[in-house]
Amino acid sequence: MKPIVKGFDVISSVEEDVLKIVVLNRYISGSKPVVGFIKGFGLKQGALAGTVAHDSHNLIAVGVNDEAIVECINAVIKVSGGIAVCVDGIVDVLPLPIAGIISDKSIDNVASDYERLNTKAKQIGSPLTSPFMTLSFMALIVIPQLKICDKGLFDVNKFCYADLFIV
């Protein structure tokens, strides 16, 4: 598929289900995000983000446009880690303030909040059974085939970093 380019920006194609995916190193202040594209999340609007991202637990997000992705990333940063759904300026977050992966709330509260966010992810288009779990594994660079981490796009089969575009 040929990327959609507007000016100097490469943008998502909601119609083709090719969305931006972003990883941001949350341990180094001022680090630049790594941006790629992913197919299969099915979002029609908004974005998802979270700090449950195996193995490094950096911040990872997927969304239909830059604004939604940034909004979702900022929402997760504001609560010092967690998972979030953002759509049309409405942000819903499950804070995970302990290392960005553990809640300080009861299991009943966490389960309820997680299910609410999972449902919202499906309401904005995701056909996935567990969109946040799927998102978390997109950063696990030991499972084939292509994964994304704070250092770039990684080709697990060739065991090396790959370019986003092949010319």
Side-chain angles (χ1 to χ4, degrees):
M1 179 183 158
K2 192 171 181 158
I4 299 172
V5 179
K6 288 191 176 176
F8 293 104
D9 297 325
V10 180
I11 61 171
S12 298
S13 172
V14 175
E15 296 78 23
E16 297 288 330
D17 187 26
V18 177
L19 305 177
K20 276 192 182 175
I21 186 167
V22 176
V23 173
L24 180 64
N25 184 319
R26 64 189 198 100
Y27 307 102
I28 300 173
S29 181
S31 63
K32 294 186 180 200
V34 172
V35 180
F37 291 89
I38 191 164
K39 188 172 181 72
F41 267 85
L43 300 181
K44 303 299 182 207
Q45 54 185 335
L48 311 177
T51 50
V52 178
H54 310 290
D55 276 338
S56 300
H57 299 289
N58 284 310
L59 207 159
I60 187 165
V62 63
V64 301
N65 59 46
D66 294 348
E67 296 77 20
I69 293 169
V70 169
E71 180 178 47
C72 227
I73 286 173
N74 285 335
V76 172
I77 290 170
K78 185 176 180 180
V79 297
S80 300
I83 62 171
V85 177
C86 302
V87 58
D88 296 330
I90 299 169
V91 178
D92 196 353
V93 181
L94 165 57
L96 299 172
I98 303 167
I101 59 173
I102 301 170
S103 176
D104 57 355
K105 304 296 183 211
S106 75
I107 191 166
D108 291 333
N109 286 348
V110 173
S112 174
D113 289 351
Y114 186 87
E115 191 53 42
R116 185 184 69 251
L117 291 176
N118 209 40
T119 299
K120 285 185 178 187
K122 292 174 184 181
Q123 288 171 343
I124 63 172
S126 182
L128 301 170
T129 302
S130 187
F132 289 102
M133 187 60 68
T134 302
L135 183 61
S136 76
F137 279 100
M138 294 303 101
L140 183 56
I141 63 170
V142 296
I143 298 176
Q145 197 150 343
L146 287 173
K147 300 296 177 175
I148 191 166
C149 70
D150 62 315
K151 306 252 186 286
L153 187 63
F154 192 76
D155 186 326
V156 179
N157 293 337
K158 294 180 182 175
F159 205 73
C160 64
Y161 287 96
D163 292 326
L164 180 58
F165 297 105
I166 300 171
V167 244

